[in-house]
Amino acid sequence: MSFWTFLYDLFAYGIFVFSVAILSFYVFIGLYSIGETRRYMRKATFADYNILASSEHAPSLSILAPAYNEAATIVENVRSLLNIYYNNFEVIIINDGSKDDSLKKLIEVYDLHEVPHFTEQPLPTKRIRGIYRSRNPVYKKLVVVDKINGGKADALNVGINIAQNKYVVCIDVDCILEQDAMLKLTKPFLENAEARVIATGGVVRVANSCEVVDGKIVKVNLPKQFLPRMQTLEYIRAFLLGRMAWKRMDGLLLISGAFGAFDREVVIKVGGYDHNTVGEDMELVVRMRRYMEELNVPYEVAYIPDPLCWTEAPSTFKILRRQRNRWTRGTVETLRMHRKMFFNKRYGVLGLVSYPYWFFFEFLAPLIEFIGFIGFCFFALFGVINWPFFFALLLFVYTFAAAFSAFAILMEVLTYNQYKAQGDIRRLMLTALLEPILFHPIVVYAAVRGNIDLIRKKKAWGEMSRQGFATKKAA
Amino acid sequence: MMKFPLLHAILGKAVISYTWLLCTALFFTAVVTGLLLFALFYLHRNGRRQQRKAQLLRLFSDLVAETVICESAEEVEQALQQFLVTNSNLLNEPFPRRVLIKEIVKTKGDLNGSSAENLCTLFDKLELDKDTLVRLQSKEWHRKASAIQHLAEMKQAKHLVKIYRETNHANDFIRTEAQIAVVKLTGFQGLRFLNVVHRPVSQWQQLSFISQLQESELEEDKIKLWLSLKNDSVVEFALRLITIYKCHGLHDEVTALLQHSSAAIRLQALQALKEIGNESTSDFLLQNFPAASREEQLITLDMLRETGGSNKEMQFLTTLLKSDDEAIRFRALQAMQKLSPAWSAVVIRRMRDHPDFTYILSLLEKQAV
């Protein structure tokens, strides 16, 4: 066997084994999620949130929303946050050195004035310029912090330092929350009497094309634009299948930065959000879990599949590429920081399943796919491709991807069934057929670029300009 | 063409063949089609079901609305008979009965007083408890749990024994619902299972119990007993009751818990002392201070700010100004300022040039303004 033959075989063997592993894992995730989803849906048939909604003894929450140059929407977003159903909460808006007039607008509309406030700094952050509260008792739950720009992680750490309550809920200020979002997000913290619930993650859904009135989603529509619709399907797959399966395995490593609740004490003990990564949301969860595992204390990371938080998904290729590039860098940075966990049995499911999964199938998969594609071009050039076999393999992979998406759509129909308009499900199915050809390559490309940027030590978050929701005022 | 025997063997023949790939692709295509068809079929069926449910709800909401405004059981009976004149067969089918039960329970949850009682009467007259008991016998945990919830909401005390049996059920949800139901039906007396419960009582259960209790039912002897149990969650719950209902008679028992091994209990004991504190509380707090955790120390200082003022306490607060912890120094000064402005003025004059106090003093000055 010549060297080149060996190399060729190694390449082919490697890709073959990898492909079998990844497809098997997807099948496993799809099937394994069913049990958890069914359990949650059954529980929801008799869940009573009234106790939490009305009780003055409900646990206290601090909702942290970092804002950077959000002047266009910040007043409405804050109003929407102040109107959520819950009793014991405060809303902390952290103005992360915005260059626009966000702070001025908030001061004017909410009648804010600067207050002297003793701020402990268990988490080191950039300097706080001022803390503002409203003179109007209607807005007594609102706290606005003005600070020097330091990025999202730094802003959230400031919020955690200032928070007065037991649990902190970290959200993106431009997200739209369902009115009962906090009730549902808080309940898991109270239910487990045998293990400490250190975090609860919620579902994020795509809000493009939805009807928004006074900061509330009043009608859910399937996005009309191509990219948001693709992402809708992607989010359904990730949140309804992936995370439910990981929750069941107790191996959840990621709570979306757009919407998650955390035990403040544990967050402070682990040192808060890390400034050195653009994937600060995943990194924090991994660090918190690692801390609890090392302490050997029973704990849980909870997850609820109800659609509670709606966000605007990127609708241009440029913004999407930036977002995915950042996600990739965040993933790799987190994996690198916590490489000690890799196949480390001390960390149980996290070390033996979750971390390897993220390493092989989230970090390596796009790279292998890309290398496979280059290899394919190279072999095609040399005429060594068995074309009938290639097309059969391509068809196999394509139909598998479509079947997996179709399964996710079915789960959506059987559970929350958000897309009720005539033909929505057929359109989603069509999306499932187009996605592997039209959308997936973009994601792979962005991931590869993310890795290259990481090697180049690029740290930028990337501008994430949004179009904004088409909002209406209530009549 | 170059020859790569291994690859050919793996991909071409030995492991997966061309035909196998095509067959599997065909299978996946069938799966996609099947899933799509099933989803559409489900949507269609569910749509019809929802339509039927909406129709029924329209009918039942009239009955429920009329029942709510009745002034006696006889009027409820009349309203029901009127309804049955036009819908006599409707309530013989299980689906409409289920819809009606849910509607009654849901409406009852938002009401109290005679309107709520009327709904319970309607529930009894239609013998909807029988349907609920069938669900209680179900092997599906969620059906059982929801049946327990419905029986409790509709004040079906006659089925208390059946519900009580489930208070030790292995399933968390059934057990929790049964315990809440017992408290809902029998009030404070229903908490007697706390004397013997070994499993931890979750915060959720505690909140649910509290929402069902009334101050007049409280028995301090029982709470005292719970304070001495080994189940930490029961002790915590007892402390919560003391905090909420201000059980001054249990002051000494609560102070004893300041040295408990559980941090959650110590914190809850401090919260309770905030409400039931008396002239001896400060002594306990001062004694306990050195051994307390930082969080407990900060709460203690907040409490001293409200209740302290004696010479001993002022001296104690002054000693805390030597602490390395800025938050402790700040709260000590804040307490001093509130309790004795004259004392704090002397202390502040002494500290003015000390760099450790620059930030704290400027903040206190601003707060005073």
Side-chain angles (χ1 to χ4, degrees):
Chain A
M1 187 188 284
S2 76
F3 173 74
W4 289 109
T5 315
F6 172 76
L7 207 65
Y8 186 107
D9 283 346
L10 190 72
F11 179 78
Y13 256 130
I15 289 199
F16 175 70
V17 171
F18 184 84
S19 307
V20 169
I22 199 167
L23 296 190
S24 308
F25 215 93
Y26 279 138
V27 172
F28 169 72
I29 278 184
L31 298 177
Y32 199 64
S33 67
I34 297 173
E36 188 66 17
T37 308
R38 192 171 61 173
R39 182 173 174 273
Y40 187 84
M41 298 307 289
R42 286 179 163 185
K43 197 173 122 189
T45 58
F46 62 90
D48 178 11
Y49 295 100
N50 285 335
I51 296 163
L52 265 184
S54 56
S55 176
E56 56 184 299
H57 311 295
S60 49
L61 302 179
S62 293
I63 301 171
L64 314 181
Y68 179 70
N69 291 348
E70 305 272 359
T73 54
I74 194 145
V75 170
E76 278 308 306
N77 292 334
V78 169
R79 201 185 304 281
S80 160
L81 285 176
L82 289 170
N83 282 335
I84 56 162
Y85 292 155
Y86 202 77
N87 214 344
N88 290 344
F89 76 100
E90 60 177 352
V91 175
I92 302 177
I93 306 294
I94 307 113
N95 179 39
D96 190 23
S98 295
K99 290 172 192 154
D100 61 10
D101 60 346
S102 301
L103 183 66
K104 194 171 159 237
K105 279 189 169 173
L106 287 172
I107 289 173
E108 276 170 16
V109 174
Y110 293 105
D111 192 15
L112 302 176
H113 71 292
E114 196 174 345
V115 289
H117 190 287
F118 177 75
T119 312
E120 285 187 64
Q121 285 241 321
L123 306 173
T125 62
K126 289 270 169 69
R127 191 172 66 79
I128 294 173
R129 286 195 285 233
I131 296 174
Y132 298 81
R133 279 184 177 276
S134 177
R135 289 188 191 90
N136 186 343
V138 172
Y139 305 124
K140 67 178 179 192
K141 289 179 176 171
L142 176 64
V143 179
V144 175
V145 186
D146 184 33
K147 67 177 279 284
I148 290 171
N149 181 264
K152 190 180 174 186
D154 192 64
L156 285 167
N157 283 343
V158 165
I160 292 163
N161 282 341
I162 292 203
Q164 299 287 313
N165 296 323
K166 192 170 181 200
Y167 301 109
V168 287
V169 181
C170 301
I171 63 159
D172 283 350
V173 75
D174 53 357
C175 277
I176 297 175
L177 296 183
E178 294 284 335
Q179 294 259 290
D180 57 355
M182 293 304 147
L183 301 175
K184 290 184 172 170
L185 204 63
T186 312
K187 201 175 173 218
F189 285 110
L190 309 177
E191 284 180 320
N192 196 334
E194 300 189 6
R196 182 171 187 171
V197 178
I198 59 167
T200 307
V203 168
V204 179
R205 289 280 182 120
V206 175
N208 304 51
S209 303
C210 291
E211 274 179 36
V212 181
V213 176
D214 282 345
K216 290 176 206 156
I217 299 268
V218 292
K219 187 162 186 267
V220 177
N221 292 320
L222 194 61
K224 292 184 180 77
Q225 289 170 294
F226 169 73
L227 281 180
R229 192 183 294 179
M230 294 287 165
Q231 289 167 86
T232 300
L233 179 63
E234 201 187 17
Y235 279 39
I236 291 174
R237 264 194 330 243
F239 285 101
L240 217 48
L241 301 187
R243 296 208 188 162
M244 287 309 267
W246 285 113
K247 163 71 185 70
R248 192 174 175 193
M249 272 185 265
D250 192 23
L252 202 61
L253 285 189
L254 174 61
I255 284 179
S256 170
F259 186 50
F262 302 89
D263 183 322
R264 180 173 176 261
E265 191 189 350
V266 181
V267 175
I268 288 176
K269 278 189 175 154
V270 301
Y273 283 96
D274 193 320
H275 304 219
N276 299 315
T277 171
V278 286
E280 75 292 323
D281 46 0
M282 179 180 176
E283 201 282 327
L284 178 68
V285 178
V286 176
R287 196 148 28 90
M288 285 172 80
R289 293 199 73 140
R290 196 175 154 185
Y291 171 79
M292 298 303 280
E293 294 280 346
E294 284 168 1
L295 280 184
N296 208 12
V297 175
Y299 75 98
E300 184 193 342
V301 172
Y303 171 74
I304 41 173
D306 299 82
L308 299 177
C309 173
W310 297 82
T311 189
E312 188 190 340
S315 51
T316 66
F317 286 102
K318 194 174 152 194
I319 303 290
L320 178 73
R321 276 203 311 269
R322 270 186 205 157
Q323 184 196 51
R324 299 311 162 100
N325 179 315
R326 179 167 53 80
W327 287 4
T328 301
R329 282 183 285 137
T331 302
V332 182
E333 282 166 349
T334 304
L335 292 175
R336 202 165 52 193
M337 285 174 185
H338 299 281
R339 58 187 175 275
K340 190 185 170 190
M341 291 167 73
F342 193 39
F343 282 123
N344 188 339
K345 66 179 178 193
R346 184 185 174 190
Y347 297 101
V349 175
L350 295 187
L352 300 175
V353 188
S354 303
Y355 188 108
Y357 170 85
W358 276 84
F359 180 82
F360 289 114
F361 302 144
E362 296 288 342
F363 159 55
L364 279 187
L367 296 180
I368 290 178
E369 213 172 314
F370 186 71
I371 292 166
F373 179 72
I374 301 286
F376 163 75
C377 294
F378 179 74
F379 295 139
L381 210 66
F382 283 90
V384 293
I385 299 287
N386 176 348
W387 288 103
F389 189 84
F390 165 76
F391 282 114
L393 191 64
L394 190 68
L395 194 66
F396 166 81
V397 174
Y398 172 74
T399 51
F400 175 85
F404 189 66
S405 293
F407 178 69
I409 294 167
L410 178 69
M411 289 302 285
E412 161 69 15
V413 168
L414 296 178
T415 53
Y416 296 102
N417 193 24
Q418 294 285 311
Y419 304 103
K420 295 189 179 83
Q422 184 87 26
D424 271 358
I425 295 304
R426 277 191 294 267
R427 272 190 285 275
L428 259 181
M429 281 287 186
L430 182 67
T431 309
L433 298 179
L434 296 176
E435 192 222 358
I437 310 163
L438 301 177
F439 183 74
H440 185 69
I442 305 167
V443 176
V444 172
Y445 172 72
V448 173
R449 286 299 303 263
N451 279 284
I452 294 168
D453 286 348
L454 197 71
I455 293 165
R456 288 178 179 168
K457 300 196 185 314
K458 186 179 168 186
K459 287 277 177 193
W461 180 270
E463 197 78 20
M464 289 294 295
S465 57
R466 297 179 195 266
Q467 294 179 337
F469 301 111
T471 57
K472 292 179 185 172
K473 282 269 173 204
Chain B
M1 188 172 160
M2 287 161 74
K3 290 214 167 136
F4 297 100
L6 193 55
L7 176 75
H8 188 68
I10 294 165
L11 299 184
K13 283 181 185 155
V15 180
I16 44 171
S17 68
Y18 171 77
T19 327
W20 186 89
L21 280 175
L22 281 183
C23 287
T24 322
L26 206 64
F27 167 72
F28 287 140
T29 310
V31 168
V32 173
T33 317
L35 291 174
L36 174 64
L37 290 176
F38 182 72
L40 294 174
F41 167 73
Y42 177 85
L43 280 176
H44 176 69
R45 204 192 62 165
N46 200 39
R48 287 179 62 172
R49 196 180 161 87
Q50 290 303 324
Q51 242 175 9
R52 167 96 172 118
K53 194 174 165 186
Q55 267 175 356
L56 289 169
L57 279 177
R58 273 196 294 276
L59 267 177
F60 293 146
S61 60
D62 289 345
L63 173 65
V64 169
E66 276 192 42
T67 306
V68 163
I69 55 167
C70 288
E71 287 182 355
S72 64
E74 290 73 36
E75 280 191 25
V76 175
E77 176 67 33
Q78 279 173 13
L80 176 61
Q81 290 311 323
Q82 261 181 3
F83 176 80
L84 291 175
V85 169
T86 44
N87 305 289
S88 56
N89 291 328
L90 192 65
L91 291 175
N92 295 331
E93 298 168 45
F95 181 66
R97 286 180 76 85
R98 274 208 301 277
V99 173
L100 180 58
I101 291 174
K102 276 196 179 167
E103 182 63 10
I104 293 178
V105 171
K106 191 176 135 225
T107 315
K108 161 78 175 44
D110 300 331
L111 298 171
N112 46 36
S114 62
S115 304
E117 275 170 29
N118 287 346
L119 288 175
C120 294
T121 311
L122 180 68
F123 192 85
D124 286 335
K125 286 190 185 299
L126 286 166
E127 297 184 331
L128 295 174
D129 60 325
K130 286 183 181 164
D131 301 59
T132 315
L133 286 176
V134 171
R135 279 171 76 78
L136 186 66
Q137 301 308 318
S138 168
K139 284 183 182 164
E140 303 269 22
W141 59 268
H142 63 290
R143 295 221 166 95
K144 223 176 170 93
S146 88
I148 293 170
Q149 204 178 54
H150 290 176
L151 288 173
E153 189 63 53
M154 300 319 295
K155 296 194 171 162
Q156 298 294 304
K158 58 189 173 201
H159 302 302
L160 187 62
V161 178
K162 284 186 181 117
I163 297 173
Y164 202 89
R165 242 179 255 149
E166 311 293 354
T167 54
N168 222 1
H169 200 282
N171 181 293
D172 287 349
F173 298 110
I174 296 175
R175 191 174 63 246
T176 302
E177 286 306 324
Q179 290 175 355
I180 295 168
V182 168
V183 178
K184 213 168 199 171
L185 291 170
T186 60
F188 191 78
Q189 291 302 321
L191 287 170
R192 67 176 189 269
F193 65 85
L194 291 179
N195 301 349
V196 292
V197 74
H198 294 296
R199 292 192 177 95
V201 179
S202 70
Q203 299 284 320
W204 177 255
Q205 281 166 286
Q206 293 186 27
L207 266 184
S208 306
F209 297 154
I210 288 166
S211 71
Q212 303 304 328
L213 294 177
Q214 284 173 359
E215 192 170 0
S216 56
E217 301 170 321
L218 240 59
E219 293 173 36
E220 283 198 0
D221 286 351
K222 286 200 174 136
I223 299 178
K224 191 175 172 179
L225 169 72
W226 296 336
L227 288 178
S228 65
L229 294 179
K230 284 188 178 161
N231 187 334
D232 284 359
S233 62
V234 176
V235 179
E236 204 185 325
F237 176 63
L239 284 168
R240 283 183 120 173
L241 290 181
I242 293 168
T243 313
I244 295 165
Y245 296 108
K246 300 184 177 46
C247 305
H248 290 276
L250 297 170
H251 179 269
D252 293 349
E253 284 78 7
V254 175
T255 49
L257 289 170
L258 289 176
Q259 270 126 40
H260 198 279
S261 57
S262 155
I265 289 181
R266 291 197 304 270
L267 282 174
Q268 194 59 57
L270 280 172
Q271 298 296 339
L273 285 175
K274 264 188 195 174
E275 301 298 330
I276 61 166
N278 58 29
E279 60 283 354
S280 67
T281 310
S282 310
D283 286 342
F284 285 110
L285 293 176
L286 297 191
Q287 266 173 30
N288 192 56
F289 195 87
S293 70
R294 184 174 181 272
E295 192 181 359
E296 288 157 26
Q297 288 183 342
L298 293 175
I299 295 175
T300 303
L301 287 175
D302 287 344
M303 287 169 71
L304 285 176
R305 194 173 63 199
E306 300 304 321
T307 59
S310 71
N311 221 19
K312 188 179 165 192
E313 284 149 12
M314 296 307 289
Q315 273 167 357
F316 171 75
L317 290 170
T318 311
T319 60
L320 291 182
L321 299 180
K322 289 176 193 153
S323 167
D324 294 334
D325 190 327
E326 196 175 35
I328 298 274
R329 292 201 303 269
F330 176 72
R331 295 209 192 192
L333 258 178
Q334 216 181 17
M336 266 191 251
Q337 218 174 23
K338 175 142 188 236
L339 296 170
S340 170
W343 184 296
S344 70
V346 175
V347 173
I348 287 172
R349 214 172 300 136
R350 265 206 325 253
M351 301 294 175
R352 189 162 293 283
D353 299 327
H354 200 296
D356 284 354
F357 285 84
T358 315
Y359 170 63
I360 294 177
L361 291 178
S362 72
L363 212 59
L364 283 173
E365 273 167 25
K366 278 185 198 165
Q367 278 186 350
V369 172

